[in-house]
Amino acid sequence: MQELKVPDIGDYRNIPVIEVLVCAGEVVAVDQPLVTLESDKATMDVPSVFAGTIREVLLKPGDRVSHGSVIAHLEFDAPASNASASVLAATHTGTAISDAATAFSTPARPQTPKQRTESTASEANAGALLADRSEVTVDRARAGKAAAGPSVRKLARELGVDLSKVAGRGRNARVVREDVLAHVKTTLSKPAQAAAPVEARGTQPDILPWPQVDFAKFGPVERRPLSRIRKISGANLHRNWVMIPHVTNFDQTDVTELEVLRTALNRESKAGAAKVTMLAFLVKACVAALQQFPQFNVSLDGQELVQKRYFHIGFAADTPNGLVVPVIRDADRKGVAAIATEMAELAGLAREGKLTPAQMQGGSMSISSLGGIGGSHFTPIINAPEVAILGVGRASTQPVWNGSAFEPRLILPMSLSWDHRAVDGAEAGRFLAWLATLMADFRRVLL
Ligand code: COA
């Protein structure tokens, strides 16, 4: 067993260890760096003077050492080379030691103060940019084994460069200062995406952390926990927004005649019967459009499209605790009045927080109606794994040219968000145009 000690490093005492480059059980070669020390002027690596197996490392980063401090215990494999033995035994005449002493007393390369300021600033900038590009996951153990001098190691550390990834063009493939700077330059010239680690490419958008703001600085505030529904719907909406390539088409339809029918039906309805709503007509029209364009009644499952032979329509319901989407099952087999009744029941359950998971599953597509609230067009988020959602705004009376004069017509704004992985723009245009035709002349739903 051999003690590996800090050699004579000149007049320096209590120098901090900034890196331990070996661990117990590691086989080391002669001249392999064991630890890196740093003074206020420079850094230096202390090399092993024997080949063998490290049995115990006695230092850790932050420890302070002087001449003679024991770094590690090594199980001796072979006699030291003459050169190394002389290093161990030498005082100021040993090459490595005098190099080390020089390294402590002078910067790696003479620079004027101006040069030093400029290079430090640009290197710091480069470091920050590399950090932005997630390039700084440095494998310290491997970086420690890369052949490089103390000043180059220090530069690499400051710039966040993993030395094990830098091709050395010095003698015996030693990494020199210019190699580190060239590596930084090449990395910065690559597009940010390409600079990301391979495993992150295509799976994680490069998104800034959420801003941490002390809102109380700007005025009185209070904090409330998110409701359970908002937490769940928020997570689902976020996933759908991020993962689905949404496109939204806008159109409008003339529902003047339909509104006449709807109000007449409600006038005639028995006391206590559910009100026939525009939304109930829209559910029926969506079923007819899905029957005409079955490519919208699908879900994506890996590399397959699941074609649905049922017609279940979801509708967004606003509740005190947040948004839920109950589903009207088999809407193709129900009349508008039955759909309106069921919607009223489901909306009531939703507001009371009594919907079961089964009542919110299995939709073919969904409708989000803000018609009772206001606004025209908006871009609803698709309710995955469905591939389309209809957004409905508030109908308003508008002057429409009938060929000879303007006449007041009730115009309903509609938006259709659709998943571009499952359907194409032309199909979406036809689907929405057909929906508009159906709502303008509801007799066609019967065909
Ligand atoms: N244009 C004009 N008026 C409309 C309309 C439209 N598109 N849709 C509804 N209205 C009118 C109704 O006729 C009703 O008027 P009335 O009381 O004079 O008869 C009024 O607006 C209120 O309708 P509402 O009670 O909202 O019924 P609804 O069938 O339209 O909607 C729900 C039922 C459950 C969908 C609705 O209460 C709801 O929750 N909407 C919000 C959905 C949502 O949050 N979407 C956003 C998701 S991101």
Side-chain angles (χ1 to χ4, degrees), residues 365-428:
M365 67 174 285
S366 295
I367 304 175
S368 174
S369 173
L370 292 174
I373 299 167
S376 55
H377 293 99
F378 60 104
T379 55
I381 297 177
I382 296 166
N383 188 21
E386 298 162 18
V387 299
I389 183 168
L390 182 72
V392 184
R394 189 170 188 79
S396 60
T397 302
Q398 294 178 19
V400 176
W401 185 251
N402 66 10
S404 52
F406 283 103
E407 59 174 313
R409 306 292 296 179
L410 188 64
I411 304 299
L412 180 74
M414 300 191 296
S415 319
L416 182 76
S417 292
W418 44 279
D419 184 338
H420 212 329
R421 296 170 303 175
V423 282
D424 291 328
E427 294 171 321

Side-chain angles (χ1 to χ4, degrees), residues 42-361:
T43 61
M44 69 164 289
D45 288 347
V46 179
S48 177
V49 289
F50 294 104
T53 305
I54 299 288
R55 285 298 164 217
E56 190 183 6
V57 179
L58 288 96
L59 296 179
K60 58 183 185 314
D63 286 348
R64 291 181 171 266
V65 295
S66 306
H67 176 203
S69 303
V70 181
I71 300 169
H73 290 148
L74 172 137
E75 196 172 309
F76 197 64
D77 278 356
S81 71
N82 287 342
S84 297
S86 66
V87 169
L88 184 67
T91 53
H92 290 282
T93 52
T95 316
I97 291 171
S98 59
D99 274 357
T102 311
F104 267 140
S105 57
T106 56
R109 174 179 288 199
Q111 286 178 314
T112 64
K114 183 166 180 285
Q115 277 172 333
R116 200 157 34 239
T117 311
E118 282 169 359
S119 91
T120 308
S122 68
E123 286 160 7
N125 278 343
L129 282 166
L130 277 181
D132 279 353
R133 290 174 187 225
S134 320
E135 178 74 349
V136 289
T137 323
V138 177
D139 182 339
R140 298 239 169 252
R142 278 173 52 223
K145 284 177 189 150
S151 65
V152 174
R153 281 185 194 288
K154 182 163 184 261
L155 176 66
R157 255 198 319 279
E158 285 169 358
L159 297 182
V161 170
D162 184 347
L163 271 182
S164 67
K165 292 183 180 154
V166 180
R169 285 171 299 176
R171 232 173 105 234
N172 296 329
R174 199 172 174 77
V175 178
V176 294
R177 180 188 169 83
E178 285 66 29
D179 295 329
V180 174
L181 296 177
H183 177 84
V184 170
K185 206 170 159 189
T186 311
T187 306
L188 290 181
S189 64
K190 285 182 199 161
Q193 179 69 14
V198 174
E199 60 275 16
R201 274 180 222 159
T203 57
Q204 289 176 352
D206 199 2
I207 294 175
L208 288 176
W210 196 256
Q212 299 292 309
V213 178
D214 177 10
F215 297 98
K217 274 197 318 200
F218 307 113
V221 292
E222 64 186 62
R223 287 182 177 268
R224 282 191 306 275
L226 282 177
S227 72
R228 194 181 61 84
I229 289 181
R230 206 173 282 279
K231 275 189 217 159
I232 296 169
S233 66
N236 279 284
L237 289 163
H238 184 206
R239 179 204 54 212
N240 300 347
W241 174 252
V242 168
M243 292 185 72
I244 301 175
H246 282 75
V247 183
T248 306
N249 289 20
F250 304 110
D251 208 338
Q252 56 187 25
T253 183
D254 186 335
V255 290
T256 312
E257 265 81 52
L258 193 58
E259 182 62 6
V260 171
L261 172 64
R262 192 184 76 83
T263 47
L265 288 172
N266 283 334
R267 260 198 321 270
E268 294 161 12
S269 68
K270 293 182 192 149
K275 200 171 56 179
V276 175
T277 60
M278 190 58 78
L279 197 49
F281 283 105
L282 281 160
V283 168
K284 208 64 194 159
C286 280
V287 169
L290 287 173
Q291 286 168 335
Q292 184 79 9
F293 299 97
Q295 60 270 42
F296 284 82
N297 195 6
V298 298
S299 279
L300 277 163
D301 188 11
Q303 298 301 308
E304 288 182 340
L305 281 173
V306 179
Q307 181 68 57
K308 298 165 192 173
R309 303 291 179 205
Y310 51 81
F311 298 89
H312 306 334
I313 308 294
F315 66 99
D318 186 27
T319 79
N321 286 324
L323 177 73
V324 290
V325 187
V327 174
I328 306 275
R329 293 192 175 268
D330 301 311
D332 55 321
R333 294 191 228 150
K334 293 172 181 163
V336 172
I339 290 172
T341 304
E342 192 175 333
M343 272 184 146
E345 288 167 4
L346 287 170
L349 288 174
R351 279 190 279 272
E352 291 164 22
K354 290 184 179 162
L355 281 177
T356 63
Q359 288 170 311
M360 294 183 278
Q361 288 170 355

